[in-house]
């Protein structure tokens, strides 16, 4: 069987299993087995028996809806590559928009000739904190994660970057930074408990539930966050928070109802769905 035939059959196998991007995943896994970049797959004529067996085993796991990133061991997030695996939430492409917003705010501070202090709550793999530090090296970046397993992944991803990482609860984290933070980001758990069945198997069965579910309406973590951000931010500081696509009105309304924020605005992702909110602490 040629490599092209192998890729085609693999994609059909993944499609039948309900994988959302079967062609791409089939190619990613084959490239991983062969140790090649995706762009070089077209040059491959065939695979060895050993390579074929390794590929088949990975396809079995992906068809069982194990996350692609767990099989590869990495996830690309903006301009960085993160180590991921069991025990940590796999960063999604949608979250890159929130990270990009934080990068823009940090750069704005730099244009005013001062260091921007950024705090990332519920950091998980460290994705947002790592991206901000990578793109704005002058930023003073801090991150916190509650789950010890996820914290170990964040330690690995943030080692040597200059990001300060702590193990702790976002509800009480960074008391020593109160009133000094310019930009606060968070991708908190926001899935309602009643939405269990609607969550993709890759997330429901493999991501930590602590990173997914947040009470009956999915807003419990956001309520805590709205209070904590008001403590940590300096007057005029910004907060950016990811939320579920069905929370495009309820999440901003929650922040506005505190009376502590201005310029509360919701933002859509590239598919046009409500994805994250931003707000500014009143001066």
């Amino acid at each position: 069987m040629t490599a092209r035939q192998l890729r085609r059959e693999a994609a059909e196998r993944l499609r039948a299993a309900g994988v959302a991007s079967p062609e791409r995943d089939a190619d990613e896994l084959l490239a991983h087995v062969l140790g090649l970049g995706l762009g070089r797959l077209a040059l491959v004529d065939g695979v060895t028996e050993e390579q074929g067996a390794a590929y088949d085993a990975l396809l079995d796991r992906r068809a069982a809806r194990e996350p692609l990133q767990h099989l590869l061991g990495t996830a690309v997030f903006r301009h960085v590559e993160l180590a991921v695996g069991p025990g940590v939430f796999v960063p999604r492409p949608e979250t890159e928009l929130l990270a990009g917003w934080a990068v823009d705010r940090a750069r704005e501070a730099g244009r005013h000739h001062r260091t921007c202090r950024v705090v990332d709550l519920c950091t998980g793999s460290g994705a947002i904190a790592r991206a901000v530090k990578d793109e704005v090296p002058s930023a003073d970046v801090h991150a916190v994660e509650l789950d010890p397993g996820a914290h170990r992944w964040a330690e690995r991803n943030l080692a040597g970057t200059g990001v300060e990482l702590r193990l702790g609860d976002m509800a009480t984290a960074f008391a020593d930074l109160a009133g000094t933070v310019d930009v606060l980001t968070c991708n908190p758990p926001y899935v309602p408990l009643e939405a269990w069945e609607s969550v993709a198997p890759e997330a429901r069965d493999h991501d930590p539930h602590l990173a997914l579910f947040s009470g009956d309406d999915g807003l419990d973590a956001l309520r805590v966050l709205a209070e904590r951000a008001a403590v940590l931010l300096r007057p005029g500081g910004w907060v950016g928070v990811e939320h579920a696509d069905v929370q495009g009105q309820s999440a901003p309304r929650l922040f506005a109802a505190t009376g502590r924020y201005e310029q509360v605005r919701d933002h859509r992702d590239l598919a046009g769905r409500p994805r994250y909110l931003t707000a500014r602490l009143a001066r």
Side-chain angles (χ1 to χ4, degrees), residues 156-194:
R156 182 173 172 181
N157 288 318
L158 297 176
T161 65
V163 175
E164 188 220 3
L165 173 66
R166 302 185 190 183
L167 176 66
D169 190 336
M170 73 167 177
T172 56
F174 299 116
D176 53 317
L177 302 183
T180 70
V181 177
D182 297 286
V183 180
L184 186 148
T185 58
C186 187
N187 182 11
Y190 50 67
V191 179
L193 290 172
E194 64 181 18

Side-chain angles (χ1 to χ4, degrees), residues 188-212:
Y190 50 67
V191 179
L193 290 172
E194 64 181 18
W196 168 271
E197 292 297 335
S198 67
V199 177
E202 287 87 344
R204 186 187 64 220
D205 300 338
H206 297 279
D207 281 335
H209 287 180
L210 185 64
L212 293 176

